Every structure is written in structure tokens, then in C-alpha cells.
Amino acid sequence: MNHNDLENIKLHIAGATVRNTPPFDNLKPFKNSFELSKDFLDKWVIPFYMKIGSTDSDWLNQLTILKSEITTDIIEKNLGDFNWRTRQTGAFFSAVTNQTQYIDIIGIHLLKSEVCYAGSVYCQVLASFNLPKCVDYLNIYLDYYLTKPDLWFDQRDALEAICYLDKLNSTHYFDKHLENWGEFLKNKPHWEKEISTDKLENQINFIESIRKFAG
């Protein structure tokens, strides 16, 4: 997706169009035209998806050993499958192998929020890449989904990612979302208001430590 497409989505969210459709309906997500085999799932999904988020040494060793085997084909098959387990695994694989060509696929998956659980990993991966387009996707997500208090999605994860990237890039995007964050929380009395990036920073440090290994 090019910069003009992202700008048009921003305008749509802001109400600068006469269209009545949700702003992400016209985005085409990356999807496989086939079912993944059991052998593929057993090798490239089952052993990984539940461990994403861990930072222990066994998980680090497992990933560094297998890193050279994680091909673009494996990443694309995971990202294209309509399942949170495969999609978050594909996004995570793209991060540890530093495959930034998948930013648009991951960003569109985040915006469309088609499957549960994967969004937090998308936010983590976009933050780890820290390219301007990653920031755009996170801001667009927050601009829209923070105004939808009945959608209990990945708003906190996206806000943590923006806060983290503000620290790295000396930007101030986090501040512009604070008012909407406060409104969003009004029907969520058990959600923590404060935003912390500690966990996210640990995850990104873990990803970066894997990237350093030759593969």
C-alpha cells in the first residue's frame, strides 16, 4: 500500500468522504487459496504459536537454530491462513527474520481485525520494524478503534507500540490519542488506564537478539 492510500484512509476516518462504508472494507487482506497441510501445521505452527511472547533461553535457542529454515514461503503461508495461530506465527517469523516486505500485509490484517488474539503480535512486529509506514498503520488503527468503545480489540497494544516508538523517534503521537483512550475506557472499569512499554520492550529486545544471529 502506498502513502496516498494510507492518507485516504486517514481522511475517511476523519469524515472527509461521503462514503458510508467502514474505512477498511475496501482493503484486500492477504489470503491463501488453499488449506495448509497437517504436516505444515505440525512443523511451522504448533510448536511456535503458544510460545510467542516468551523470552526464555530455551525459546531463544529454538528460534536461532531454526531461523535459517524460516523462508518467505513459510511466512506467507502462515500470514495467508485465516486463523489467529498461523497469522500471528507468520507475523512473528517476519519480525525475527527482519522481513520488512510484509509490513503492508501485517498492517492490513491489523486494521481489518478479522481474527482474535493476533492483533497484539501485529502491533509488536510493527513496533519492532519501526518504519514510517508502521507508525502510520498504528495511528490509523488507533484513530478508528479508539472511537469504537464496544470493540474490545487491541487498542492497548497499539497504544503501547505508539508510545514505545515515540520514545525511539522523538515523536508525540501518543499524546494525540490520550483523550480518545480516556473515552474508550469509560465502559471498561477493569482495564488499566496507564500505558507501560516494559513488556513490549522486552519482546522487541528478544526479537532483535534473534535477528543478530546469522541465518
Side-chain angles (χ1 to χ4, degrees):
M1 184 185 295
N2 61 40
H3 180 71
N4 287 337
D5 292 330
L6 292 175
E7 288 301 314
N8 286 335
I9 293 172
K10 291 179 186 177
L11 289 173
H12 193 165
I13 293 170
T17 78
V18 296
R19 291 175 294 176
N20 293 317
T21 56
F24 312 126
D25 277 11
N26 292 330
L27 296 180
K28 294 183 178 179
F30 182 74
K31 291 184 179 179
N32 296 336
S33 59
F34 52 87
E35 294 291 327
L36 295 178
S37 69
K38 183 179 183 301
D39 287 345
F40 181 89
L41 294 173
D42 287 344
K43 183 171 183 179
W44 291 113
V45 182
I46 304 296
F48 302 103
Y49 79 92
M50 286 297 290
K51 296 182 180 179
I52 295 173
S54 299
T55 56
D56 62 79
S57 58
D58 288 342
W59 177 225
L60 176 68
N61 291 335
Q62 181 183 4
L63 289 168
T64 52
I65 290 170
L66 289 175
K67 180 184 172 185
S68 63
E69 298 181 39
I70 301 174
T71 64
T72 55
D73 180 66
I74 290 167
I75 294 171
E76 289 169 14
K77 284 179 177 177
N78 271 294
L79 286 173
D81 191 52
F82 195 80
N83 185 291
W84 67 270
R85 299 166 184 83
T86 44
R87 285 193 176 183
Q88 72 171 23
T89 302
F92 182 72
F93 281 170
S94 76
V96 298
T97 57
N98 204 25
Q99 302 280 350
T100 58
Q101 68 266 34
Y102 297 112
I103 287 173
D104 281 326
I105 292 175
I106 294 166
I108 289 173
H109 280 343
L110 174 67
L111 294 183
K112 293 186 76 71
S113 293
E114 293 179 313
V115 297
C116 60
Y117 302 121
S120 61
V121 179
Y122 300 154
C123 293
Q124 175 190 126
V125 171
L126 292 174
S128 77
F129 286 139
N130 188 21
L131 293 175
K133 190 177 285 190
C134 302
V135 177
D136 281 342
Y137 278 117
L138 291 164
N139 275 319
I140 290 170
Y141 180 90
L142 289 166
D143 284 340
Y144 182 72
Y145 285 102
L146 282 180
T147 66
K148 304 297 178 184
D150 293 332
L151 300 181
W152 298 44
F153 288 176
D154 302 290
Q155 289 90 337
R156 172 179 289 280
D157 297 285
L159 203 52
E160 289 173 354
I162 281 294
C163 184
Y164 167 78
L165 292 176
D166 273 351
K167 294 178 184 178
L168 290 186
N169 303 328
S170 299
T171 51
H172 303 281
Y173 293 112
F174 177 79
D175 293 341
K176 82 184 186 76
H177 296 296
L178 277 179
E179 184 176 351
N180 283 343
W181 174 239
E183 290 296 317
F184 177 78
L185 290 179
K186 284 185 176 179
N187 67 337
K188 303 171 184 65
H190 302 296
W191 278 39
E192 177 63 39
K193 181 178 180 179
E194 297 302 317
I195 296 296
S196 170
T197 63
D198 291 348
K199 182 177 178 181
L200 176 62
E201 291 181 40
N202 286 337
Q203 293 299 315
I204 292 176
N205 288 338
F206 182 79
I207 288 170
E208 290 176 347
S209 67
I210 299 167
R211 287 177 183 167
K212 293 176 183 177
F213 285 86

